[in-house]
Amino acid sequence: MSTFLEVQDLTVRFHTPEGTVHAVNGISYELGEGETLALVGESGCGKSVSMMSLLGLIPIPPGEIVSGRAIYRGTDLLEMTEHELENIRGAEIGMVFQDPMTSLNPVLTIGRQITESLRVHDGSNSEQAERRAIELLDWVGISDPANHLQDYPHQFSGGMRQRVMIAMALACSPSLLIADEPTTALDVTIQAQIVELALRLREQIRMTIIWITHDLGVVAGLADRVIVMYAGYMVEEAGIEDLYEDPRHPYTLALLAALPRADRRRHSRLKSIRGAPPSMLVQPTGCPFASRCEFVIEHCWSANPPLTPVVPNHRIACWVDIQTGDSR
């Protein structure tokens, strides 16, 4: 599988009146063409910021990309001008945002918002753009799409608005789709429909996808590979099967233990992760998960472990082998 996107040592800060927020701390990964990568972690761990930084969507100031490279098809996205990024966003990289109600313009019709990128990037005339918009709405599962073009966002349900967002992101047939928690605040049935739509993208047109979520259960049947983030750091990276069958980081293990399971004993309780995430205003000297970890040892408090392979294609940032309890 050829490398489609390579991110190297991405570090992002936000300078606020309260202090400097260490949002993303030196993450590195590769994405293969046609692959679906899931980015998983608690709210505020840096998932969305890491993706928005690639497309120049964080406000600067207060945001600052301190270091890093993002090589997309041989070109560093982080070195591009705003004009160059405008030609990439929508045309080659589409993004579905978390809350469609705030992402869609409430005073413009759905048809106007979908056709805008077609006119800007593809040079389509009004008739061509409208025809393509109808095709897209039909493809994402909105019935009678021609009659919905003149509707406004408030006339759609949450699930339908999210489908519209996906249609907008796909308008110019981008090579990469970034989906930022697209199933948040949707009921379970609609969540399943959105995931099924993503599976169609992957299987029918081999689209490369980055799926951002806080729910490991959502990506079980969707992703090829998973990156687990905590407090701005990557703590584990593995193939989807390896991650579920053989999690190696205490945080991943805790996340999986908190998932409801059909085979769980009737009277057994779901496990919770004790404590709270650390303040992002302070860059930790040790492991950021140490205060919540059941496997913590003395060394965890003084040094932050690097991301290292434990088996082929499986990396973790931990000083302890959780299978044996021995230090590494």
Side-chain angles (χ1 to χ4, degrees), residues 152-169:
Y152 291 86
H154 72 271
Q155 296 175 268
F156 289 75
S157 67
M160 289 178 70
R161 286 195 293 266
Q162 198 58 278
R163 290 172 188 271
V164 170
M165 287 293 298
I166 294 172
M168 289 173 61

Side-chain angles (χ1 to χ4, degrees), residues 174-189:
S175 303
L176 170 63
L177 178 68
I178 300 173
D180 186 3
E181 304 215 33
T183 58
T184 296
L186 301 179
D187 63 52
V188 175
T189 303

Side-chain angles (χ1 to χ4, degrees), residues 92-225:
E92 295 189 42
I93 302 177
M95 189 158 184
V96 180
F97 294 96
Q98 180 173 343
D99 185 355
M101 197 63 228
T102 57
S103 301
L104 292 169
N105 191 322
V107 299
L108 296 180
T109 65
I110 293 301
R112 168 73 181 278
Q113 295 184 65
I114 296 176
T115 58
E116 183 177 8
S117 61
L118 291 165
R119 292 193 297 268
V120 171
H121 294 296
D122 282 2
S124 302
N125 59 37
S126 297
E127 184 178 341
Q128 292 169 330
E130 184 172 309
R131 188 161 57 245
R132 172 66 172 159
I134 292 171
E135 291 174 359
L136 287 164
L137 289 177
D138 181 62
W139 198 86
V140 299
I142 292 182
S143 59
D144 196 14
N147 287 330
H148 281 302
L149 287 182
Q150 300 307 312
D151 289 346
Y152 291 86
H154 72 271
Q155 296 175 268
F156 289 75
S157 67
M160 289 178 70
R161 286 195 293 266
Q162 198 58 278
R163 290 172 188 271
V164 170
M165 287 293 298
I166 294 172
M168 289 173 61
L170 298 177
C172 297
S173 302
S175 303
L176 170 63
L177 178 68
I178 300 173
D180 186 3
E181 304 215 33
T183 58
T184 296
L186 301 179
D187 63 52
V188 175
T189 303
I190 304 302
Q191 283 186 16
Q193 293 174 2
I194 298 298
V195 171
E196 183 181 354
L197 183 55
L199 284 170
R200 286 173 56 198
L201 289 173
R202 189 182 72 174
E203 294 168 3
Q204 294 182 10
I205 61 179
R206 293 297 298 164
M207 176 167 280
T208 307
I209 301 173
I210 297 177
W211 190 280
I212 303 170
T213 182
H214 62 271
D215 187 353
L216 271 170
V218 169
V219 298
L222 174 64
D224 299 303
R225 192 158 47 91

Side-chain angles (χ1 to χ4, degrees), residues 27 39-42 45-47 227-234 251:
I27 67 172
L39 211 60
V40 178
E42 295 176 58
C45 73
K47 307 183 302 295
I227 290 174
V228 181
M229 290 188 66
Y230 185 80
Y233 293 90
M234 284 175 58
Y251 178 58

